[in-house]
Amino acid sequence: MRQMPAIDMVATGQNIARLRDAQGMTVRELQEIFGFATPQAIYKWQHGTALPTVDNLLVLAAIFEVHIEDILAVRQVQTAVGA
């Protein structure tokens, strides 16, 4: 078995919500920045059911004034050797 990094979607969503709150922003404000018709994507990110695309991660990092690594939560998972 080998340890490999994987994104923890729920913890990443919690980071997004925490950072948004720290900036005093609402979900609707983020929705407007991204130009989304509805706030569903933001809610999916925050609930850990979806991840932002790489370009959206870059925008989030700029908005929150953090590094992408401060948004993404990484955990180690076991994988079979050669998998």
Side-chain angles (χ1 to χ4, degrees):
M1 297 300 263
R2 172 182 238 170
Q3 293 278 350
M4 297 296 288
I7 295 173
D8 183 326
M9 291 176 58
V10 172
T12 295
Q14 292 169 345
N15 287 344
I16 292 169
R18 178 181 50 78
L19 291 164
R20 180 185 54 73
D21 285 339
Q23 289 289 323
M25 297 185 78
T26 66
V27 169
R28 295 278 179 183
E29 289 171 327
L30 271 183
Q31 172 193 340
E32 290 174 11
I33 289 170
F34 285 101
F36 296 156
T38 68
Q40 299 320 102
I42 310 289
Y43 286 118
K44 286 180 179 182
W45 298 345
Q46 291 186 161
H47 290 122
T49 57
L51 288 171
T53 60
V54 173
D55 55 331
N56 287 342
L57 275 171
L58 284 170
V59 173
L60 286 171
I63 292 167
F64 299 151
E65 300 176 346
V66 298
H67 297 281
I68 289 176
E69 293 85 3
D70 297 324
I71 298 172
L72 293 174
V74 178
R75 60 184 168 84
Q76 297 295 314
V77 295
Q78 297 270 355
T79 62
V81 176

